[in-house]
Amino acid sequence: MRNVTETVKHLLIINGIFFLATLTLGNQVYDWFALHYPENPKFEFWQPLTHMFMHGDISHIFFNMFGLWMFGTPLEQMWGKKKFIFFYLSTGFGAAALQLLLYYFQVEQVNDALTGFGLNAPEIKSFYKTAELPTAAINFIGEDQLSSAFNAFRSVMVGASGALYGVLVGFAMLFPNAQLMLLFPPIPVKAKFLVPILIFADLFFGFS
């Protein structure tokens, strides 16, 4: 079994501590440390960092931590701990920023439509608290678009997946011909082929 490197070991421990906190303290931990939309009252400035150590359930943390150990260890061995942790956190921040940017466009598009309909700022703010609007406004904008904006505003982002995908890309660039074994079907695939497939599949399911 591959020996775990120092930074990867510390990341595994921190993720484990956060997960145990969610099991013992419950949803309050998500309110504090998960990443909320910046205009949401639950947003705090530390959440872009702390959300990377939060996970939704045991399978979520298991697969992320397995991937971190499997692919992060050889990267840290190649780069050293300072370069690895900088890369890991940078990709985590970048993934969160892209997701928040998508949410921003969804929310602002609906805000502009609500303003055009004639609602003022307090009425728009009330919508994101109660999900209630005049029937005419719902018909004017459309339920699907309103639902997307409402869910974006109240989104709760958790997980190391953004940082982990950065690690996968780094691994594929450094070790493009490394053979990775699929589970279903159990066949070997080179990293330079498998990693892009995983990322595009995740993006497809995320947007759809």
Side-chain angles (χ1 to χ4, degrees):
M1 180 177 289
R2 180 183 294 118
N3 293 327
V4 63
T5 49
E6 183 179 358
T7 304
V8 170
K9 178 176 68 176
H10 290 160
L11 289 172
L12 294 174
I13 292 171
I14 295 171
N15 277 274
I17 291 172
F18 271 81
F19 186 68
L20 289 176
T22 63
L23 296 179
T24 55
L25 300 178
N27 289 336
Q28 185 63 51
V29 181
Y30 291 101
D31 289 342
W32 290 336
F33 299 120
L35 179 56
H36 297 81
Y37 187 71
E39 295 180 12
N40 190 310
K42 293 182 179 180
F43 175 80
E44 302 290 351
F45 69 89
W46 57 76
Q47 291 174 356
L49 172 63
T50 58
H51 89 283
M52 286 186 256
F53 306 109
M54 299 285 293
H55 291 84
D57 54 38
I58 189 67
S59 62
H60 189 198
I61 188 172
F62 172 79
F63 286 109
N64 274 353
M65 295 304 97
F66 178 79
L68 174 60
W69 165 75
M70 187 74 181
F71 302 105
T73 297
L75 288 188
E76 186 178 357
Q77 289 172 339
M78 289 284 293
W79 288 342
K81 61 183 180 179
K82 290 184 178 179
K83 183 176 180 179
F84 174 76
I85 194 61
F86 176 80
F87 179 81
Y88 181 86
L89 294 178
S90 296
T91 53
F93 287 135
L98 288 175
Q99 186 66 63
L100 288 177
L101 184 62
L102 174 62
Y103 288 157
Y104 173 81
F105 283 120
Q106 291 176 321
V107 171
E108 289 304 310
Q109 188 177 23
V110 165
N111 288 350
D112 290 342
L114 291 172
T115 300
F117 179 77
L119 298 185
N120 56 36
E123 290 172 327
I124 295 174
K125 187 176 181 179
S126 176
F127 160 67
Y128 291 110
K129 290 182 178 180
T130 65
E132 296 180 357
L133 281 174
T135 302
I138 297 175
N139 294 334
F140 177 75
I141 300 173
E143 290 187 12
D144 289 343
Q145 194 169 357
L146 287 169
S147 177
S148 294
F150 182 81
N151 290 332
F153 187 90
R154 299 172 66 90
S155 63
V156 179
M157 294 172 57
V158 297
S161 300
L164 180 59
Y165 276 119
V167 169
L168 286 172
V169 171
F171 181 88
M173 293 180 66
L174 285 177
F175 309 101
N177 294 316
Q179 297 281 358
L180 304 177
M181 184 66 69
L182 294 177
L183 295 178
F184 302 103
I187 58 174
V189 179
K190 290 184 178 180
K192 62 183 177 182
F193 300 130
L194 180 60
V195 170
I197 292 173
L198 291 174
I199 293 175
F200 284 122
D202 188 66
L203 289 173
F204 172 79
F205 289 113
F207 281 108
S208 60

